[in-house]
Amino acid sequence: MQRHVSLYGLTFSLPLLIWQLLFFVFPLAFLVALSFWTVKNFAMRPDFDTVNWVTMFSRPVFWQAYGTTFALAGGAALLTSVLAFPCSYAIAFKLSDTARRWAVFLMVIPFFTSYLVRVYSWQIFLSDNGIFNVMLGWIGLGPFGMLNTVGATMVGYLTLSFPLVVLLQLFSLVFIDRTLIEAAHNMRCGRLRTVFEVVIPSARVGLTIAALFCFILTFGDFVSPVYLGGGDPTTLSILITDTTKSGQQWPRAAVIALTMIATLLVVAFLAVRFAYKGRSK
Amino acid sequence: MTRRTDAPLSVTRRALLATGAAALATPMLSRRAFAAPTELTMLAWYGHAEPDMVAEFEAENNVKFVPKYYTGGDNMLGLISQSPPGTFDVILSDAEYVQQLNAAGYIEALDPADYAFDEFFPEFQQFPGHWQDGTLYSVITRFGFLGVAYNTDALTEAEASTYNVFWNEKLKGKVGHFDWHLPNLGQISQLNGNAIPYDIDEAAWEAVKEKALSLRPQVGGFFDYGGTFSSLNDGQMLAFAGIGDWITGTLEKNGAKVRSVIPEEGGLQWTESFSIGKGSQKADLAKKWIQYVTSAKGQAKSANMAAYPALIPNQKGWEVLNAENPDEAKRQGMVIGQSNVMDMIRNGRIQYRQLPIQQDLETWNDFWSEYKGA
């Protein structure tokens, strides 16, 4: 069967194609090319040398940062999903239509303010002389070192991704066929068991995509590890800035960035495959 | 027969033309007042093109500065290398990067006769790196010292007067690093007794690395410019390596309980100098700015710059500062006729911060990444 390319079809598909070429394919291709350039006396020179790849991949600090970043992003995806689920479940099943609209609105509000500002404001809560420690002091506890820790980084990750994860989970939960839940209850399935045996499997796509978005956002985040984690431990985003900060080593930073992109593509592919597993049957 | 001329509002052609010409010519009489200000682009650390520094010069010369602020020498080099020649009229640089700017051909040669070097302390009249084969490329405008920054509630000045304080048990997790290898590793090198901290052989470099790694358990974080300010201000970090009065001075003036001290092992010196960008179309105006900011009046302003204070190399600038703002002159140790900051330089307690001489910059940077990840 021969396919015809119509003007009508092109009108709608070309802008997307041009957009993708301009803002995704070309920059990505340039990033790949850049990773083979060399740097001499602070000046980048077009070249085709694998030295940047060899150097970065042979450095233990790179793999250490890679492992740290992967673990932190994975942990954030899991933690955010677990904490967001009761929230999105309650919004989907327990609230009236009006209350649900308000809840969705409240989840959108955080996006009105800068993420950087929100993270900086957490410092006021988490520092040694901050609000939390002052309140704990009232009952004779603390002070506890909360700022510049992995826990604080995780708080930042939650600030970044929690509202989005709730919304994505919610969109999946509201479309669950309610008759399935009623059927489970009719068959004397308990509430908790219904959640695990009916609700979660039915919303698997949304829950997985929500966790995936959380992973993607936190894997590349620079703000929370620096301003709440104190830059310790080093994540890949911090390593990129370290690499560019001295000696103009943008080609090596390109190697790190490309490794991050490749990782995210693999994770996204596996997550989508898991999400839609068995759905075509 | 007479022609009627009694129309009260009639306007002759000649009168109309005369009035119109006068109206059109009026702005020309005060053309300068109506002319748009000339834009002068400045590449600098934050603060140098803010109103407290440039408002007077802008008003006097009908100039408007267009600043592009950077966050470090490498960032500056990157911005220049990615811009066409002539993009930046005035370039502020730390001393160690002037040679890089010159080697890459980014800055113009200057005529020393244009600047008030005779008013400068002798140490700053032929500042290393600013001259190449007898030609001047950059004019020093301010400098400062890096030592031990500390919280005055947590440490006494005597305790903070050695780099060894960073290993103090009560500072565990409370030592911060300004996230740049050059000042931090330079200080460790000074602690190890290296007379010129950046000119060290392989054995001494290995010793610096080993000493640095022993400090790692004490470290509470690695901070950028903003993070350094906030973590010192809120007492999150009680001691800081790699900085000096350029950070703590600003905080101290705003009431924070922090100070900097030059330890017994010696301190490091940073400098900032102005150059004219290669290919600048407004080189004369750029020169005028450098003349202004290195004059006694401009120097007094520079010492008390709102973004971060600094020491100044112009002796007459000291006089103006002492007359206008004696408290700040005293706070920074720029009082003439008393023990002052110049004595520290002359006593050999201060060494220049510079790029490593016997190792590649890359070697130092790579170790810094490893140190952070340790």
Side-chain angles (χ1 to χ4, degrees):
Chain A
M1 193 176 90
Q2 195 178 353
R3 281 188 166 184
H4 294 284
V5 178
S6 69
L7 185 64
Y8 180 80
L10 281 178
T11 306
F12 287 97
S13 58
L14 263 183
L16 182 68
L17 181 69
I18 292 168
W19 180 273
Q20 288 290 341
L21 284 173
L22 273 180
F23 297 108
F24 181 69
V25 177
F26 291 156
L28 188 64
F30 178 70
L31 202 61
V32 172
L34 184 66
S35 71
F36 293 99
W37 287 18
T38 51
V39 177
K40 294 263 162 44
N41 292 329
F42 293 85
M44 283 184 284
R45 294 175 182 182
D47 204 341
F48 191 80
D49 196 325
T50 56
V51 64
N52 301 308
W53 290 88
V54 173
T55 305
M56 289 314 295
F57 282 3
S58 60
R59 288 182 64 191
V61 69
F62 170 78
W63 293 111
Q64 199 176 355
Y66 186 91
T68 302
T69 313
F70 200 95
L72 282 174
L78 187 67
L79 184 68
T80 312
S81 296
V82 169
L83 292 177
F85 185 76
C87 185
S88 51
Y89 181 87
I91 296 170
F93 295 110
K94 303 294 178 190
L95 298 185
S96 66
D97 285 351
T98 308
R100 189 181 303 150
R101 276 196 292 276
W102 275 104
V104 170
F105 178 64
L106 288 173
M107 285 294 152
V108 173
I109 279 181
F111 296 106
F112 294 177
T113 54
S114 157
Y115 168 51
L116 184 62
V117 172
R118 282 181 283 152
V119 161
Y120 254 110
S121 67
W122 269 114
Q123 290 191 350
I124 300 165
F125 287 85
L126 296 172
S127 71
D128 285 6
N129 303 314
I131 293 170
F132 286 156
N133 271 318
V134 168
M135 291 169 74
L136 287 167
W138 292 341
I139 53 171
L141 296 175
F144 297 103
M146 290 182 264
L147 194 59
N148 303 323
T149 61
V150 171
T153 302
M154 210 50 87
V155 167
Y157 285 162
L158 278 165
T159 305
L160 174 67
S161 56
F162 186 85
L164 182 68
V165 170
V166 169
L167 288 172
L168 288 171
Q169 288 185 347
L170 184 62
F171 293 142
S172 205
L173 291 173
V174 291
F175 289 114
I176 289 178
D177 187 350
R178 304 294 173 109
T179 55
L180 292 173
I181 297 170
E182 285 169 18
H185 288 162
N186 288 342
M187 296 173 80
R188 312 192 76 175
C189 183
R191 285 175 184 276
L192 200 60
R193 194 174 167 201
T194 306
V195 169
F196 283 102
E197 303 263 338
V198 178
V199 176
I200 290 177
S202 303
R204 189 176 68 197
V205 174
L207 300 182
T208 309
I209 298 300
L212 173 64
F213 266 85
C214 180
F215 184 89
I216 291 170
L217 286 174
T218 54
F219 191 73
D221 184 39
F222 173 76
V223 172
S224 286
V226 168
Y227 294 108
L228 293 177
D232 187 15
T234 305
T235 61
L236 288 175
S237 54
I238 294 172
L239 194 61
I240 286 180
T241 60
D242 282 358
T243 310
T244 57
K245 207 185 284 179
S246 193
Q248 290 276 46
Q249 283 292 353
W250 289 93
R252 290 188 188 176
V255 170
I256 305 172
L258 286 168
T259 310
M260 291 174 79
I261 292 170
T263 304
L264 289 177
L265 284 173
V266 170
V267 170
F269 174 77
L270 292 175
V272 170
R273 197 172 156 184
F274 169 75
Y276 288 96
K277 192 171 70 176
R279 283 177 72 91
S280 57
K281 286 177 188 171
Chain B
M1 195 173 107
T2 55
R3 185 174 288 180
R4 277 177 64 101
T5 56
D6 57 349
L9 293 174
S10 68
V11 178
T12 64
R13 190 171 64 101
R14 181 171 294 177
L16 180 71
L17 286 172
T19 310
L24 288 170
T26 302
M28 305 299 282
L29 296 174
S30 55
R31 188 175 178 180
R32 182 142 186 86
F34 286 89
T38 307
E39 289 192 344
L40 202 60
T41 50
M42 182 196 284
L43 184 64
W45 284 96
Y46 174 76
H48 283 268
E50 294 304 295
D52 65 299
M53 282 301 298
V54 300
E56 186 182 73
F57 181 83
E58 286 184 334
E60 285 175 357
N61 297 279
N62 196 31
V63 168
K64 178 70 190 159
F65 274 99
V66 180
K68 176 71 185 172
Y69 292 130
Y70 57 74
T71 54
D74 281 73
N75 183 213
M76 173 199 67
L77 286 166
L79 288 166
I80 296 177
S81 66
Q82 290 150 22
S83 309
T87 301
F88 301 109
D89 299 308
V90 188
I91 298 168
L92 181 90
S93 169
D94 289 28
E96 54 266 52
Y97 290 96
V98 173
Q99 284 168 304
Q100 311 292 337
L101 287 170
N102 194 16
Y106 293 143
I107 50 178
E108 298 278 4
L110 305 174
D111 182 354
D114 288 335
Y115 307 98
F117 279 112
D118 54 337
E119 295 179 2
F120 282 22
F121 287 104
E123 289 81 354
F124 299 110
Q125 291 178 0
Q126 291 269 337
F127 199 77
H130 291 181
W131 297 73
Q132 181 84 37
D133 302 327
T135 305
L136 176 70
Y137 285 92
S138 201
V139 183
I140 185 168
T141 179
R142 54 211 312 259
F143 64 100
F145 300 151
L146 308 173
V148 175
Y150 65 101
N151 185 303
T152 53
D153 278 346
L155 297 170
T156 63
E157 183 166 335
E159 284 178 309
S161 292
T162 169
Y163 289 126
N164 284 314
V165 74
F166 295 139
W167 281 261
N168 188 319
E169 194 57 37
K170 71 178 174 184
L171 295 183
K172 194 168 181 64
K174 294 291 175 186
V175 176
H177 276 300
F178 182 62
D179 194 1
W180 186 22
H181 59 88
L182 220 49
N184 288 288
L185 296 179
Q187 290 186 335
I188 300 285
S189 183
Q190 283 189 307
L191 175 59
N192 275 6
N194 296 309
I196 302 173
Y198 297 93
D199 191 3
I200 54 175
D201 61 19
E202 279 313 296
W205 169 235
E206 288 303 318
V208 165
K209 291 200 290 185
E210 193 181 332
K211 188 71 181 173
L213 285 167
S214 73
L215 178 62
R216 188 63 182 85
Q218 294 284 103
V219 175
F222 299 84
F223 303 92
D224 64 3
Y225 186 67
T228 301
F229 267 101
S230 61
S231 59
L232 269 173
N233 192 42
D234 61 20
Q236 195 63 34
M237 292 296 127
L238 300 178
F240 236 93
I243 61 166
D245 194 62
W246 71 283
I247 294 264
T248 55
T250 310
L251 291 169
E252 192 181 6
K253 284 199 281 185
N254 288 292
K257 292 176 176 175
V258 291
R259 288 213 73 195
S260 290
V261 63
I262 302 303
E264 62 196 37
E265 297 87 359
L268 297 171
Q269 182 184 327
W270 58 267
T271 64
E272 288 174 347
S273 57
F274 275 113
S275 303
I276 297 175
K278 182 79 98 184
S280 166
Q281 300 297 308
K282 296 153 193 164
D284 283 344
L285 207 49
K287 181 177 79 180
K288 209 167 179 181
W289 162 254
I290 300 175
Q291 287 170 335
Y292 170 83
V293 81
T294 54
S295 70
K297 186 170 66 168
Q299 286 277 278
K301 261 186 209 300
S302 189
N304 202 24
M305 191 170 92
Y308 57 103
L311 306 168
I312 46 174
N314 186 319
Q315 301 180 71
K316 292 200 171 164
W318 281 40
E319 289 170 16
V320 175
L321 183 69
N322 276 275
E324 291 179 349
N325 196 345
D327 289 344
E328 182 59 13
K330 190 178 175 193
R331 195 193 68 78
Q332 292 207 53
M334 288 192 282
V335 180
I336 299 163
Q338 294 180 15
S339 173
N340 58 46
V341 291
M342 291 308 296
D343 295 331
M344 285 200 210
I345 296 175
R346 287 165 186 165
N347 294 340
R349 291 189 63 202
I350 303 295
Q351 296 295 325
Y352 302 131
R353 190 187 66 202
Q354 55 186 319
L355 300 179
I357 293 168
Q358 297 190 43
Q359 294 82 33
D360 292 335
L361 181 65
E362 191 180 318
T363 306
W364 280 48
N365 192 43
D366 286 353
F367 170 69
W368 186 245
S369 293
E370 282 160 28
Y371 173 70
K372 288 172 71 177

